[in-house]
Amino acid sequence: MKLPTLEQLKYPIGQPNIPTIITSEVITEWITTLENFPEKLDTVTASLSEEQLNTPYRDGGWTIRQVVHHCYDSHQNSYTRFKWALTEDKPVIKAYYEDRWAELHDSKNAPIILSINALKALHAKWVYLLKGLSNEDLDTYFVHPIGNEKVGLKENIGIYAWHCNHHFAHIENLLIRKSWI
């Protein structure tokens, strides 16, 4: 069996590929991914032992526990960014050091059910918000301070659908490599 390269381990589904023209069908597909992610994550991690949860998905990478907690931290930040973009004029968002957050005590040690439950509630509310947005709402954007980049809400839905699948693949691929599923 050929071992995956570091790039394949880091990006098991590849880098995000957001289309230039984002149709309502694509948005619906992405929202469905967001809607289903917390339950999929819960299912794939439900029977893991503490030792398994503390296993990095690759050498030098985060543990499964850190990945789960990172998903909550990242998605909570994204949800807030949506709210800013919808209520402020071209807001400049606050970036955060996800690598530093992943090294905090809660990310390294807390039971994952805390983030799983939080993701279930967050995604339910986020999806409810997204399904109620107009085309005009979806055309709003925020500004990321790194590179002063404009990020549209349509694009950000796609980025976070990718983010769900990206981190799910980290966990699932490790479980397959270790023959834990």
Side-chain angles (χ1 to χ4, degrees):
M1 181 169 109
K2 185 178 175 189
L3 294 175
T5 66
L6 180 59
E7 187 69 12
Q8 290 167 330
L9 290 171
K10 283 183 177 181
Y11 297 99
I13 63 167
Q15 299 275 358
N17 185 14
I18 308 300
T20 306
I21 297 171
I22 301 172
T23 65
S24 60
E25 292 81 18
V26 169
I27 291 171
T28 298
E29 181 182 314
W30 288 340
I31 291 173
T32 299
T33 297
L34 292 170
E35 189 168 29
N36 295 332
F37 176 66
E39 194 58 46
K40 281 181 61 178
L41 189 61
D42 190 13
T43 300
V44 80
T45 59
S47 64
L48 298 179
S49 69
E50 288 297 305
E51 182 180 345
Q52 289 169 322
L53 290 171
N54 292 325
T55 302
Y57 74 90
R58 66 171 173 85
D59 286 342
W62 292 338
T63 65
I64 293 173
R65 182 184 312 276
Q66 287 172 298
V67 169
V68 171
H69 291 307
H70 161 72
C71 286
Y72 174 72
D73 292 340
S74 176
H75 295 195
Q76 175 63 41
N77 272 284
S78 183
Y79 175 74
T80 301
R81 292 168 181 176
F82 272 84
K83 293 281 195 150
W84 283 332
L86 291 165
T87 60
E88 300 177 20
D89 184 34
K90 305 173 192 88
V92 177
I93 58 105
K94 170 114 174 65
Y96 75 104
Y97 296 103
E98 62 184 39
D99 56 330
R100 295 179 191 175
W101 285 40
E103 293 301 318
L104 294 173
H105 174 72
D106 64 326
S107 295
K108 292 180 90 171
N109 300 292
I112 64 167
I113 196 64
L114 298 175
S115 284
I116 297 280
N117 286 341
L119 278 164
K120 286 178 180 179
L122 174 65
H123 277 239
K125 193 164 185 219
W126 195 5
V127 165
Y128 189 87
L129 172 71
L130 294 175
K131 286 181 176 180
L133 296 181
S134 68
N135 287 330
E136 185 178 287
D137 292 332
L138 289 168
D139 287 336
T140 60
Y141 64 90
F142 58 81
V143 178
H144 199 290
I146 299 174
N148 214 26
E149 178 188 6
K150 288 167 56 171
V151 180
L153 294 191
K154 286 180 185 176
E155 176 186 7
N156 209 41
I157 296 168
I159 290 167
Y160 274 84
W162 171 86
H163 194 258
C164 291
N165 293 330
H166 168 71
H167 285 303
F168 185 85
H170 282 149
I171 295 168
E172 185 177 51
N173 289 350
L174 173 63
L175 301 184
I176 292 166
R177 284 194 314 276
K178 295 282 194 176
S179 300
W180 291 342
I181 58 171

